[in-house]
Amino acid sequence: MCYYCRYLENEKTKKFIERNHVQYDQYIAQGIKYRHSRSCDLTTALRLIGMTIFFVMLNVTIVLSQSSQVQQQKDQSSSKILVTNSRDFLSNYGHDQDRQTTRNRQNSLSRPSQSSSSINSTSSSHPPKTKRLTHEKRLIRDLLNNYPTIYARPIRNISEPLMIQFGLTLTQLFDLGSTGQKMQTNTWKTFIWQDMNLAWNVSDYGGLQTVCLPADSIWTPDIVLYNYADERLKDWRDISAVIQHTGDILYVPTTMQFSVCFLDITKFPYDIHQCSLVYR
């Protein structure tokens, strides 16, 4: 009896397993079919979207090409119209010029005496203008154009000395010893000499006896401060020179100069200083 019971139980167990196995296979097959259907639907949707985009782009390209062709046709037509109008204008202008030339020739042939009289009247009423210089301007032009050079002494013989009168006027003492052993002064130098190249006849220039010329355009003496304490090579301002008809020259430049002055302040405030300006 026990063996038979065991046999029945085994048979029940086999049937249950077989039933469950069949159900599992059906479940797997249904899942595979469902997934396959979903993938097919997605592929179909993507294909439809791609075809739609392709046709839209194709339509846009066709529209743009048609618009460009229309614009080119318009440009060609406008250029043709412009060329035609320009040709008509040039032809009309040429005809007008020919007509005007013919009329002018006829008028000139019909009235030669009247034209000659009008030309004479206009020439007499408007005489040619000539630029006339004053005596001073003409004198300055002649002196500067005929001046030989500013680098040679104005003498006839190289062995002759050139006499120069030199004077100095102290106008102001700016500083003494505040920036070292220096003295700062404002002075007027006076130079007087004679230049044979700057003499003229008074009667040739309307009685003009004196004229002013820039000092850098003529020869000037090279008398400078010897005990200078400044880095500047030129210590005076530009000023014109006064020239007489005899060739005598007066040149008075103003100078702002620094000179060396040794100061002894051991007896301050009762110290006395003596400073010199040496010119050579």
Side-chain angles (χ1 to χ4, degrees):
M1 188 66 183
C2 294
Y3 291 104
Y4 182 73
C5 292
R6 291 179 182 176
Y7 173 76
L8 292 175
E9 290 178 0
N10 289 331
E11 289 294 331
K12 290 180 181 180
T13 303
K14 287 179 181 180
K15 291 180 180 179
F16 179 77
I17 291 172
E18 289 177 355
R19 189 182 304 164
N20 290 335
H21 183 70
V22 171
Q23 292 178 357
Y24 179 74
D25 292 337
Q26 292 177 357
Y27 176 76
I28 293 297
Q30 290 178 0
I32 292 171
K33 290 181 180 179
Y34 178 73
R35 291 179 182 177
H36 182 68
S37 63
R38 288 187 61 186
S39 62
C40 291
D41 295 338
L42 182 61
T43 304
T44 305
L46 292 175
R47 288 178 180 177
L48 291 174
I49 292 171
M51 293 176 66
T52 304
I53 293 172
F54 172 74
F55 283 113
V56 169
M57 294 298 293
L58 182 61
N59 293 327
V60 171
T61 305
I62 293 171
V63 171
L64 290 177
S65 63
Q66 291 177 356
S67 63
S68 63
Q69 291 178 0
V70 172
Q71 185 66 29
Q72 289 179 359
Q73 292 177 359
K74 289 182 180 179
D75 294 338
Q76 290 177 359
S77 61
S78 61
S79 63
K80 289 181 181 179
I81 294 170
L82 181 61
V83 170
T84 304
N85 293 333
S86 62
R87 288 178 181 175
D88 296 338
F89 174 76
L90 291 175
S91 61
N92 295 329
Y93 181 75
H95 291 306
D96 294 338
Q97 289 293 110
D98 295 337
R99 293 174 184 173
Q100 187 67 25
T101 305
T102 305
R103 290 177 184 176
N104 292 334
R105 288 179 181 177
Q106 292 177 358
N107 293 330
S108 62
L109 292 174
S110 62
R111 294 182 297 175
S113 60
Q114 185 177 359
S115 62
S116 61
S117 62
S118 62
I119 292 172
N120 294 328
S121 63
T122 54
S123 62
S124 61
S125 61
H126 298 284
K129 296 181 180 180
T130 57
K131 188 176 181 180
R132 186 174 180 180
L133 298 176
T134 61
H135 295 296
E136 183 180 6
K137 293 180 180 178
R138 189 162 53 88
L139 175 59
I140 293 173
R141 181 195 62 186
D142 295 341
L143 291 177
L144 294 179
N145 290 337
N146 298 326
Y147 199 79
T149 178
I150 63 174
Y151 304 106
R153 292 181 302 156
I155 55 177
R156 291 184 175 86
N157 190 358
I158 193 173
S159 61
E160 295 179 358
L162 181 62
M163 301 301 296
I164 299 173
Q165 298 181 20
F166 175 73
L168 186 68
T169 303
L170 179 63
T171 58
Q172 190 176 5
L173 176 63
F174 283 103
D175 186 31
L176 180 62
S178 64
T179 59
Q181 304 292 328
K182 296 180 182 180
M183 179 178 64
Q184 182 181 3
T185 56
N186 185 12
T187 60
W188 290 84
K189 297 178 183 178
T190 303
F191 299 95
I192 299 176
W193 73 97
Q194 189 176 18
D195 193 336
M196 63 177 184
N197 300 315
L198 298 176
W200 69 89
N201 190 1
V202 177
S203 60
D204 295 339
Y205 297 96
L208 189 62
Q209 298 182 359
T210 305
V211 72
C212 295
L213 292 178
D216 57 355
S217 61
I218 61 175
W219 180 88
T220 54
D222 54 350
I223 299 176
V224 296
L225 181 64
Y226 183 69
N227 60 334
Y228 68 94
D230 193 5
E231 296 179 355
R232 295 175 300 171
L233 298 178
K234 186 177 180 181
D235 58 352
W236 63 70
R237 297 180 181 177
D238 295 330
I239 192 171
S240 299
V242 182
I243 303 170
Q244 301 291 330
H245 67 95
T246 57
D248 294 330
I249 300 176
L250 174 64
Y251 181 46
V252 187
T254 178
T255 60
M256 178 73 67
Q257 57 193 7
F258 293 85
S259 59
V260 178
C261 183
F262 298 102
L263 306 176
D264 185 9
I265 57 174
T266 55
K267 297 181 179 180
F268 181 82
Y270 303 103
D271 48 345
I272 299 175
H273 305 285
Q274 183 178 359
C275 302
S276 301
L277 296 175
V278 183
Y279 288 90
R280 291 185 180 178

